[in-house]
Every structure is written in C-alpha cells, then in structure tokens.
Amino acid sequence: MIEERPLFIPEQNIVLEHNGDIDPEVLEDYSKIEGFTALNHVLTEMTPPEVIDQVSRSGLRGRGGAGYPTGLKWQTVAKAPGTPKYIICNGDEGDPGAFMDRNVMEAYPFKVLEGMTIAAYAIGASQGFLYVRAEYPLAVQRLKNAIRQMEKHNLLGKNIAGTPFSFDVDVRLGAGAFVCGEETALIASIEGRRGNPRPRPPYPAERGLFGCPTLINNVETFANIAPLLRKGAEWFASIGTEKSKGTKVFALSGRIARAGLIEVPMGTTLREIVFDIGGGIPDGKAFKAVQTGGPSGGCIPSDYLDMPVDYESLLKLGSFMGSGGMIVMDETSCMVDVARYFMEFCMSESCGKCVPCRVGTAQMYQLLTKIVNGDATLNDLALLESLCDLVRNTSLCGLGQGAPNPVLSTLRYFRDEYIAHIVDKRCPAGVCPVHKREHQEVNA
Amino acid sequence: MQPISTKPAPPSDDKRWRIVTATMRRHGFRPDALVETLHSVQEAFGYIDDVAMRFIARGLQLPPSRVYGAATFYNYFMLKPQGEHTCVVCLGTACYIKGASDLLAQLEAVTGVKPGETTPDKQVSLLTARCMGACGLAPVAVLDGEVHGTADAKSVSAKLEEWMRHD
Ligand SMILES: Cc1cc2nc3c(=O)[nH]c(=O)nc-3n(C[C@H](O)[C@H](O)[C@H](O)COP(=O)(O)O)c2cc1C
Ligand code: SF4
Ligand code: FES
C-alpha cells in the first residue's frame, strides 16, 4: 500500500465547522451558518424512519468510545415498546487528558441541541437530558442559555416550528465520578442515585431512564447529526475509511509541540497527527508512544505510527478509540509508571460494586508499585498478568473490563522496561524510585 | 414519585435554604432531584453537612442513608467546610506526563497538608482533580477558580504562601 500523501493533511471540519466564526451565545449567529436548516427540513419533509435511514447509511458510529453504529441504536430505541422515551446526551467526558466534548459544548451548544432534537424526532422522545460534568461551568452556562433561546424561538418546547412534535431538554450536572460516564451509571445518577453500573442487557435502549426506552449518545455524536443531514448520508460516508466514517476530533496533549484540538478524517495516520499537525516532539526528544482511549486504552509505540486511526486499527493494536484523548509521550516517560498511573486511576474510580474490579485493581496497583520501587520478582509479573486476564473477563462494567488495558499494552510493546525494573533494578527512563535508590548508592 | 403538598421547614432561618428548597420544588420534590439538590446545597453553603442531608431527606422523602450514600459517592461533594482559598492541582494524564506529581509534592511541602486537607489556619485547601479539560496547558493548577496553565511550583507556592500569611 504505497501511496503518495501530501506532507500536511488539511484538517477537515464537520463537528468544528466555522471554528471561531460565531458567537456561541447567540442563536441568530448559529442560524447564519445554516443552523437549524437540518432540523426544519427534518421536521417538515422527513418521516422518522427516513431520518434513521439517513443516519444508518452515513455509517456514523458513536464517538463516546466503543463506536456502536448510531443509526442502529436509534432504530432499536425507536422500535422499543413503551413510553415516554428519553434522550440523553453524554457530556461527562471523564477521560483524563480529553477535552473535545468540553470544546464542542462551549463552542457549539446549538449544534449539540439541534442534533439531540433531530434524534428525539427520529425515535419519538419527548424529554431529553444533557449530562455535563460539573467541572465544566462554562459549558453548562452556554447550554442552558442555548436551551432558553431555542425555547424562545419555538425550536424546543411545544409544537416545534409549528409541527405536532414537542421536545424539552434539561441539563443535569455530574459530580466528579468517572464511572458515571458509563451509560447505566449515568442513568442512575440522573435518577438521583449513586452512580453504580448495572449489568446489561437489558440495554438502556429497552430499559433506561426511569425504566423507559432511552437513547444515549455522546456529545460529538450528536454534533455530527445536523451537518450529516444537511449534506446527506452519501457525503458523510465518502469521508473516512471503510468501516469508520466521517471525522474524529482529537485532543492532542503531552509532549507535543502544538497541543490542542484537531479534527481529521478517520484513517489519518498517527504520524500525520503527531508530526504534521502536532509539530512533533519538542526539545529534541524522541517520540516514545501515544496513549489513546484513556484509562481503558493503551500506548502505541513508534513502530505503528503509520497505522491509520480508526476503531478497528486501534483495537488491533491493543488500544481503543475512546473519546479522543491523545497523550504523546517521549523518552522521559517510563511506561511502567504510566501503567501504574492508570491503575491508580481505575482503583480510585472503581465504584466498588463488583469484586474483580474493586479488589483486582488494588492488587494490580500494589504489584505495579512493587515493580517501580524495584521490589518485584518475575513471579509478581506473572501474577500481574493473570490478574489482568481475570479482571478483564469478570468485571461488571467497562471500567473494570478496560482497567488492565494500559498494563497489557505496555507489556506488549515495552516488556523490556518491566524486565529492567524487575531484574536489573533499573528504570530506563530515569523516573522511578528504583533508579533513584541505585543513584544514591553510587553516591554514598 | 408522589409530590408532597407541604414542604419541610428549613433547619434555620438562613436565607440560603430558600435556594435549596427552590431546587427541590423545581423538581416537584421527586427523589430524582437528589443530586441536583446536593449541588445546590454545596453552591449555597460551600459544603454539605448532616443538617443539610437530613433536610434534603425530609424534603425528598428519602431515607437519610440514601442521601448520605449519594453525598459520599460523588467526589465533587464536600462534607467539610473548605479553607478561605482553594488550590486544585490537576492529576490528569496530560498533567501527569508534564510533571504534576512533582508540583503537588512541592505544594504539599509548602502548605504542610495532604490533598483533600485544609491548613490549620483555615486559609488554604489543597485539592486534586482528574482533568480540568485544559490539557493543552498542562500542568494545570486552579487557584480560587482561576485556571493557571503551565503551572510551575515556584509561582504557585508564592501564591499559597501569600494566602497563608494573611488572616
Ligand atoms: C467507565 C466508562 C466511562 C465512560 N465515559 C464516557 C464519557 O465520559 N463520555 C461518553 O460519551 N461516553 C462514555 N462512556 C461510554 C458510554 O457508556 C456510552 O457507550 C456512550 O455514551 C454512548 O454514546 P455513543 O454511542 O454516541 O458513543 C463510558 C463508558 C465506560 C465504561
Ligand atoms: S467494574 Fe468496577 S466500576 Fe464497574 S461495576 Fe464493577 S466495581 Fe463498579
Ligand atoms: S490532564 Fe490536566 S487539564 Fe486535562
């Protein structure tokens, strides 16, 4: 597959279109850039099944992590018996190192709401909730403002745009629990309970909020809807790769020259993202890995920089699309310490409902701590690997199931670093205490 | 899900309870108002104590254990009064890669307290967060609600020391 590629792939904007051109607090500004044309068209010219058909044919997949086909999800909720039906927009964005959804909610509140309203029409929902983390006060304020203005212009509320369709949206605040990004925990939280996940099935599409059929999509998923319907499914499907259509917004951070948000077609390579768009690694340091998928994701080493980024490729590499955080690491990062960092995160954020996750993450964290301190043996490493297997296969929700991933992926690509800590009592990156101790001994 | 006709009397004549009652009323005193109501107590009073939890329990007709269970589940809710000033250090991935743990260690040394604690003179609470959504500016510290990007230990320490000198 040798292909001439331009040095710099221009970013392509669907979600972030007209970046910076409009005032996110003024409805008229959004209308000027074709805002609400999709909604008006849908309400007056299309039947709900036609809308779902367009979304299905576009190939859009959920941007909240797992990449479930959006059209299929809409269809399931539309067909599910029971009323009322609810719509939830997942704006919890708990992955540390991810800030795409914050930006989308702050800069394009009307667009997110337009997407939700179209979805409500398509599946027959009358009430929607936007679940936003409390750490994003500006996003909350702008969304609330956008809801008020849309109500004033009869774009939300009773008989929208003079049609029989009615839909209301409320904002609900998260309260600093990572697990509440998981859909069943999020539903529990909106119902005013502790955010404990529950087993699926039944999926929220059948039994969700208050026991009713519920559609949950991510912020970026909803932000894709209006452009998709304005320009058509065929246009959308022409962007991206065979199985991953459209664009993806990524938050680039860490050891990178130009940190920030980017939106690129699915299938753009990591090299293009990190080097052409992100400007590479600063201070003359060498690229080591890029972490995607947050605490359930993995670290991808330089050998795979030419891999196109899409759902399947990332899974094949032992990582995960996640919500779109990309944290670049250079030679100054120790991969064992990175694995330990994520395990600490999962251990602290485990809701404690099931034993494999609650106890397993704590055990794995202790083993990783032993390794970075230079106190571990090869038996500990074997134990760590078997625990990874156990926790991954027996945890109740995605948090526990994904918790071993950072360990497994660093073991897969950087096993020599683990061995250096355990056998040679040495941290190749010079980060871990094992190294400092050795240093002190030399100095003594 | 049954709305009650009489709202419970607030624990004291502190006007801030009205905001809390208004939140419960807006949700028809339904149990699903719990998290929203806890938010409104925290916003009005800065933290959520037993008195507030009992008041919410009566208002929403929930067992106090449910209120306590939710208040303790969510990291965002404070069960103790905070200091005059707050310093939040982000420990999200981007900040971690850019040395947030060193920053935190130095601030612990300057204040003499651990994350989650307040200095004995009640001036400074040292807190941590999981990502402030400002990862491009890592490492990030938030001083009294104001985000400081590429935070270096020296300037943040200086600010904390200034706070601790005043009383
Ligand atoms: C532990 C955990 C955390 C999650 N956090 C988020 C989140 O912050 N935002 C999000 O959109 N989805 C999150 N998800 C995925 C949601 O459960 C759900 O799949 C998603 O919101 C569906 O939307 P989509 O189909 O548009 O991707 C999380 C899942 C798990 C297991
Ligand atoms: S896997 Fe972890 S977070 Fe998920 S339900 Fe079990 S204990 Fe809770
Ligand atoms: S990781 Fe610190 S702001 Fe996101």
Side-chain angles (χ1 to χ4, degrees):
Chain A
M1 227 184 48
I2 301 168
E3 206 177 63
E4 283 285 332
R5 277 187 182 278
L7 254 185
F8 182 85
I9 301 286
E11 299 179 48
Q12 184 161 6
N13 289 341
I14 298 176
V15 174
L16 309 178
E17 58 188 353
H18 305 283
N19 205 359
D21 287 355
I22 60 163
D23 183 339
E25 310 212 353
V26 180
L27 183 138
E28 287 78 5
D29 271 29
Y30 179 62
S31 300
K32 263 184 236 154
I33 55 161
E34 297 180 275
F36 305 116
T37 49
L39 177 61
N40 279 315
H41 177 75
V42 161
L43 292 184
T44 51
E45 317 268 335
M46 290 172 84
T47 63
E50 281 168 0
V51 179
I52 295 176
D53 183 56
Q54 283 282 312
V55 175
S56 298
R57 280 197 292 131
S58 74
L60 174 64
R61 295 168 64 179
R63 302 296 194 237
Y68 192 82
T70 306
L72 192 57
K73 203 188 256 187
W74 287 22
Q75 190 161 32
T76 312
V77 186
K79 282 194 182 145
T83 48
K85 288 179 183 168
Y86 293 105
I87 285 208
I88 297 173
C89 174
N90 189 343
D92 197 43
E93 192 161 61
D95 282 5
F99 50 100
M100 306 73 51
D101 293 349
R102 189 196 93 181
N103 185 279
V104 173
M105 291 185 283
E106 287 178 0
Y108 306 93
F110 292 106
K111 195 170 184 174
V112 176
L113 285 160
E114 184 178 4
M116 278 181 83
T117 312
I118 292 171
Y121 174 74
I123 66 155
S126 49
Q127 173 72 51
F129 292 95
L130 266 152
Y131 189 88
V132 188
R133 64 198 300 241
E135 289 85 345
Y136 290 174
L138 183 63
V140 171
Q141 179 210 312
R142 292 204 169 144
L143 288 164
K144 285 185 171 169
N145 167 67
I147 292 172
R148 270 197 308 276
Q149 292 194 37
M150 283 174 69
E151 284 169 349
K152 225 183 277 166
H153 286 77
N154 191 221
L155 291 162
L156 275 180
K158 286 233 166 334
N159 300 112
I160 295 177
T163 67
F165 171 65
S166 302
F167 180 59
D168 288 297
V169 180
D170 256 334
V171 175
R172 285 288 181 275
L173 290 188
F178 170 67
V179 72
C180 285
E182 195 278 338
E183 52 192 27
T184 60
L186 191 156
I187 287 172
S189 181
I190 295 184
E191 290 172 349
R193 295 185 285 118
R194 290 164 68 97
N196 289 117
R198 62 154 178 81
R200 298 171 308 171
Y203 286 89
E206 267 139 12
R207 285 183 61 82
L209 189 61
F210 304 119
C212 300
T214 302
L215 172 74
I216 301 193
N217 275 132
N218 164 264
V219 168
E220 191 183 327
T221 312
F222 280 127
N224 271 294
I225 297 299
L228 182 166
L229 287 163
R230 241 191 287 126
K231 301 186 187 173
E234 283 65 34
W235 165 81
F236 192 89
S238 72
I239 303 162
T241 63
E242 194 197 333
K243 288 187 178 155
S244 303
K245 299 299 187 189
T247 59
K248 180 77 194 82
V249 181
F250 291 105
L252 263 185
S253 65
R255 301 278 176 194
I256 182 117
R258 289 192 291 271
L261 276 197
I262 59 163
E263 179 175 4
V264 291
M266 291 279 191
T268 306
T269 66
L270 277 173
R271 189 184 300 283
E272 287 161 339
I273 292 174
V274 173
F275 290 93
D276 300 344
I277 301 175
I281 317 298
D283 308 326
K285 294 275 195 300
F287 172 90
K288 188 170 195 174
V290 52
Q291 206 278 344
T292 74
S296 316
C299 296
I300 301 167
S302 56
D303 290 357
Y304 299 96
L305 274 171
D306 291 310
M307 192 76 164
V309 176
D310 60 28
Y311 295 100
E312 277 74 24
S313 309
L314 287 174
L315 275 182
K316 233 184 279 163
L317 293 181
S319 192
F320 183 54
M321 177 75 82
S323 50
M326 276 196 179
I327 297 120
V328 180
M329 301 172 189
D330 65 15
E331 56 198 278
T332 61
S333 287
C334 166
M335 302 318 278
V336 186
D337 195 55
V338 167
R340 178 172 171 269
Y341 166 83
F342 281 112
M343 195 54 73
E344 193 276 329
F345 182 93
C346 292
M347 176 180 74
S348 314
E349 296 296 329
S350 166
C351 83
K353 178 166 172 167
C354 65
V355 176
C357 168
R358 181 181 69 232
V359 180
T361 53
Q363 293 294 327
M364 290 193 283
Y365 176 72
Q366 276 171 16
L367 288 168
L368 288 162
T369 304
K370 260 174 111 174
I371 299 177
V372 300
N373 284 338
D375 298 330
T377 63
L378 286 171
N379 282 342
D380 290 317
L381 185 61
L383 181 59
L384 178 67
E385 293 191 272
S386 72
L387 275 172
C388 281
D389 207 40
L390 183 109
V391 173
R392 189 221 278 262
N393 290 314
T394 57
S395 292
L396 191 155
C397 87
L399 193 154
Q401 291 158 7
N405 279 353
V407 179
L408 290 168
S409 88
T410 47
L411 270 170
R412 176 162 160 191
Y413 300 119
F414 301 96
R415 199 178 184 92
D416 51 332
E417 291 198 20
Y418 282 80
I419 301 297
H421 286 76
I422 296 170
V423 178
D424 311 333
K425 307 293 175 201
R426 188 174 63 81
C427 173
V431 171
C432 297
V434 53
H435 181 82
K436 286 183 192 137
R437 191 177 309 167
E438 179 188 67
H439 199 69
Q440 278 158 7
E441 277 163 15
V442 173
N443 284 348
Chain B
M1 295 281 275
Q2 208 174 45
I4 55 167
S5 45
T6 51
K7 64 176 165 53
S12 71
D13 50 17
D14 191 322
K15 286 202 178 80
R16 288 175 290 184
W17 290 114
R18 286 189 202 162
I19 304 170
V20 180
T21 305
T23 303
M24 294 194 280
R25 184 180 309 112
R26 197 167 57 245
H27 294 276
F29 295 96
R30 287 190 317 268
D32 60 272
L34 179 53
V35 175
E36 291 286 302
T37 310
L38 289 169
H39 270 297
S40 85
V41 171
Q42 173 144 319
E43 197 167 310
F45 294 88
Y47 70 107
I48 304 165
D49 63 6
D50 289 358
V51 175
M53 287 192 230
R54 279 204 202 90
F55 175 56
I56 299 175
R58 267 184 289 132
L60 303 179
Q61 293 192 300
L62 288 168
S65 61
R66 259 235 10 228
V67 180
Y68 183 78
T72 51
F73 180 86
Y74 295 99
N75 299 322
Y76 197 77
F77 295 137
M78 303 291 171
L79 307 182
K80 286 187 300 217
Q82 297 300 298
E84 193 69 21
H85 303 280
T86 54
C87 170
V88 186
V89 178
C90 176
L91 296 182
T93 321
C95 293
Y96 152 78
I97 292 293
K98 293 267 190 112
S101 24
D102 282 347
L103 173 66
L104 181 64
Q106 296 199 41
L107 300 184
E108 282 178 37
V110 167
T111 55
V113 296
K114 295 245 162 290
E117 295 176 354
T118 303
T119 52
D121 61 2
K122 303 265 182 282
Q123 285 299 309
V124 182
S125 294
L126 185 61
L127 304 166
T128 58
R130 285 306 190 184
C131 180
M132 311 301 300
C135 325
L137 308 173
V140 170
V142 183
L143 301 171
D144 277 348
E146 201 178 306
V147 176
H148 290 254
T150 47
D152 65 298
K154 218 159 134 206
S155 64
V156 180
S157 304
K159 190 76 198 169
L160 299 195
E161 276 164 349
E162 188 191 312
W163 284 342
M164 288 192 295
R165 270 199 305 273
H166 291 272
D167 44 6

